[in-house]
Structure formats: C-alpha cells, structure tokens
Amino acid sequence: MAMRTEQGTHLAGPVLVIGAGLLGASIGLGLRARGLDVVLSDSSPSTEAVARDIGAGRLLAELQDAGEQLAPELVVVATPPDVTARVVAAALRDYPDAVVMDICSVKEAILRELEATPGAAPHLSRYVGTHPMAGRETSGPVAARAELFTGAPWVLCGADSSAEAVLCAERLAVDLGAVPARMSVEEHDQAVALISHLPQVVSSLVASRLQDSPVQALSLAGNGLRDVTRIAASDPRLWVQILAANAGRLVEILYGVREDLNRLISTLEDPTGGGSRLDMAQLMSEGNAGQARVPGKHGTPPNSFARLTVLVDDVPGQIAKLLTEIGLTGINVEDFRLEHSPGRQVGLAELSVIPGKRQELTESLTQRGWKVVQ
C-alpha cells in the first residue's frame, strides 16, 4: 500500500480504477503520487501489466488471487463509451458501499443506458457522471502522466446523485489538480459537441486531404498546419464511439459548418465578382471574433499577453539555456511555442509575457546575446 506524502489528499481510499489506459493510468499515477492506495483492473492483461509497471497501482486480479477483499471508497470507470454503462452498473452492484463515477466524454447516453439497465436505478444515487477535459493524442498507459489533469476543468454531472457522491467525485478532481465544474448532462454534451467533437472532426477532415499530397508541398508546412491537424492523430476506435454517442448534437453544428462552406465555395468560384471580397473578409472577421472568445491562460482573453520571438540555434541545450536566462530576469513566461524554420538549423521560440514586461525581457535577452526578431 502506498504511503501518504506531504502533498496530502481529500480522499481516504482505496480507489479502484477500471480501465488502465491513458486516463485511467494517469489517475492512478496522480493518486499514488499523493499517497493513496490505487487498485487497477482492465480487460487487457498487457494493459494492466504496463500500468502496474509504471507505478499506477496494484492489480485487482492479484489481490483476488491472494484472497484479499477490496472495499473501495471510490470506483472510477475509465473504459470506452460503448461499455461504460455496463461496467458502471456492475461496479454499483459489486461495491455497494462505494461511490462509482465514470470519466466518459459523453454523458447523457451513459445515464440513459444506466436508467434502462435492470436493477441499476436504485443505486444511481451513488453514481456520478464526470468528464475531465484533458488528454493526449497518444493512447495507452505508456502515455500516462500524473500531471495530466493539473489545471484542467473536470465536469461533474450529478443531478440525480447524492450530495455525498458528488463531493467524493469532486475530491478526486481536486486531488488530481483539476478544476471542478458542475453541469447537467445535456449542457455538457452540447458544450463538448462544439468545443471538442467539432474540432476533432474538422482536424481529421483537413488531415485527410494530406494523404496523397506531394512530399515537396508538405516540406513547406509550418505550425499553422501542425496546429490544425494535431488532434487528427487521435485514436479512431475511441472517436467512432464518441461521435456516435453525441451525433445528434454534433450534426446540428455541422449543418452550420456546411452552410459556411457552401457560402465560401460559392464566393471562391467567382472571387472577383461583386461582393466576393467583402464576403471573404466577413468570413475571416467572423473567425477572428470567435477565436477572440476562447479563454487563454487562467481564463484570460487570448490576446492579453505580449509576444516576442527569439532565434534559437538547433543544437542541444539551447532551449534550456534560453529558459534559464529568462528565469534570471524574474519575468514569468505565460506561454511558449517552438517552431522550426524550414531549411535552416534554427528554431523560433515564441514567448508570451505580461505586456509591461515585453520591452524589459527583449532588452535583457539582447544583452545576453540572443536575437529577438519580434
């Protein structure tokens, strides 16, 4: 059993995590780092073994083989959407004194399936549907990180849950460094259709256009293309389930996207026609207005920081040296991006700082021999 650390925890444990993939193993790592006893279960023995070997927890199968009885405080179901409701129902039955929560990225379909599951309804006060807004493009326990949820929103949908159950789920989120937010299942699914599922679909559609592109064209790609297509590397098997479960809400948004695409196609078919340039400008301006509403760091407006770009030689140790020398100035870097310059052995480090510190940082870095280009 893990020992408590000085970080402390709001949970007492043990915590059973069913599903030891990226999110399940990350939960295990995060809780173990705080001294909690974590037990893991997964339908794949190899996934279980990897999660155990990276330190995400003990294995339920090994406890059962040893005759040890498990009485978890909390059961976290981190399975794919198509089996989540079934696993939640079994956990509610098998652990009658535990709170059971899932972390599936769709919520209403899971709840409705549970409500229709024979024998599950009387136990739903101990169930909390949740969704941590965190992840990575890579999957599996090898990609797990204890800090994955730090600073991320963690949505709790517990309208029919007991206050004690919701509080227990909230404690898990807080222990992992997340920021709890409460919503109804309907509000959650509508929100993620727009801010998560739509970007995934659009990213995948753009990336699909690159399959047969000439290598010469792709060699010119910069961060714009990389930013747009980054999440296109996500697991297709998982996304098939997510999109199917929230199809109704997503398709309504896609109707609007289709109207905008048809509008743009019509304009570009006659780009010099009357009103065409105005229509293009309006479309881009509408994009500007939407992008300006996306919160930046700590919920601040995205354009609230000043930016400067520093040339960095593409040799070992340069990024570390740059960040170390920025640290010596006492100026906090609010955001950091690195872009490689095509055809040159140099990187472009874009730094975001509080506007009043931009000039001071520029002068300090210049004095230390760095070339600030913006």
Side-chain angles (χ1 to χ4, degrees):
M1 184 176 296
M3 298 298 293
R4 292 292 176 88
T5 70
E6 63 274 9
Q7 289 180 284
T9 174
H10 295 81
L11 292 171
V15 175
L16 171 62
V17 180
I18 304 177
L22 169 64
L23 296 182
S26 293
I27 289 172
L29 288 172
L31 294 180
R32 292 270 295 175
R34 288 159 178 79
L36 277 171
D37 181 24
V38 178
V39 179
L40 303 170
S41 176
D42 195 282
S43 59
S44 167
S46 59
T47 298
E48 282 188 331
V50 172
R52 176 198 58 202
D53 291 348
I54 65 172
R58 303 186 290 161
L59 297 187
L60 178 62
E62 294 177 351
L63 269 65
Q64 292 172 335
D65 289 343
E68 182 176 340
Q69 296 296 315
L70 180 66
E73 172 190 15
L74 174 65
V75 178
V76 182
V77 176
T79 57
D82 61 347
V83 298
T84 294
R86 175 166 56 83
V87 176
V88 167
L92 287 168
R93 180 192 66 234
D94 295 342
Y95 302 101
D97 296 323
V99 170
V100 178
M101 60 183 281
D102 78 278
I103 58 170
C104 186
S105 57
V106 287
K107 297 270 65 86
E108 186 174 14
I110 303 299
L111 178 59
R112 302 301 172 232
E113 187 176 346
L114 279 169
E115 290 173 338
T117 300
H123 305 288
L124 291 183
S125 64
R126 292 189 288 114
Y127 162 71
V128 186
T130 82
H131 180 203
M133 304 300 294
R136 304 182 71 189
E137 296 76 51
T138 50
S139 60
V142 173
R145 299 290 183 271
E147 304 80 12
L148 184 66
F149 309 101
T150 302
W154 195 309
V155 180
L156 308 173
C157 302
D160 300 319
S161 311
S162 70
E164 294 80 6
V166 174
L167 181 59
C168 184
E170 188 172 68
R171 285 170 175 162
L172 174 76
V174 171
D175 282 347
L176 292 172
V179 181
R182 300 193 183 188
M183 305 176 76
S184 69
V185 293
E186 295 84 3
E187 290 171 333
H188 168 272
D189 285 3
Q190 187 63 49
V192 295
L194 177 64
I195 60 95
S196 176
H197 304 169
L198 176 65
Q200 176 64 56
V201 168
V202 172
S203 177
S204 295
L205 289 175
V206 172
S208 73
R209 298 295 90 200
L210 307 178
Q211 295 177 91
D212 302 317
S213 301
V215 174
Q216 185 178 11
L218 293 177
S219 69
L220 303 177
N223 273 5
L225 183 65
R226 295 187 187 96
D227 287 348
V228 170
T229 60
R230 178 181 60 83
I231 58 175
S234 300
D235 185 354
R237 296 168 298 179
L238 177 62
W239 274 99
V240 165
Q241 298 177 40
I242 293 172
L243 296 179
N246 207 26
R249 291 180 173 86
L250 178 59
V251 78
E252 289 296 325
I253 300 171
L254 289 174
Y255 288 149
V257 174
R258 182 173 64 184
E259 291 177 4
D260 287 341
L261 281 174
N262 287 337
R263 166 187 159 194
L264 178 61
I265 290 170
S266 296
T267 297
L268 294 178
E269 285 175 339
D270 185 16
T272 60
S276 293
R277 289 177 175 80
L278 175 60
D279 196 47
M280 284 185 260
Q282 287 178 334
L283 182 64
M284 300 302 290
S285 295
E286 290 166 8
N288 294 159
Q291 194 275 337
R293 298 193 64 204
V294 179
K297 182 180 179 183
H298 306 314
T300 58
N303 296 319
S304 60
F305 299 120
R307 294 181 175 84
L308 62 153
T309 301
V310 182
L311 291 183
V312 181
D313 291 334
D314 191 9
V315 297
Q318 288 298 292
I319 297 297
K321 180 182 177 183
L322 173 63
L323 295 178
T324 297
E325 296 191 356
I326 292 174
L328 294 175
T329 69
I331 297 174
N332 187 50
V333 175
E334 306 294 340
D335 202 358
F336 177 90
R337 288 164 50 102
L338 182 65
E339 181 175 358
H340 290 284
S341 179
R344 296 181 60 191
Q345 296 298 311
V346 67
L348 305 174
E350 183 182 277
L351 310 172
S352 297
V353 297
I354 294 173
K357 296 292 184 179
R358 185 186 188 281
Q359 185 61 33
E360 179 184 346
L361 182 57
T362 298
E363 293 175 355
S364 177
L365 291 177
T366 301
Q367 291 172 2
R368 287 177 165 85
W370 297 96
K371 185 173 181 181
V372 181
V373 295
Q374 290 183 13

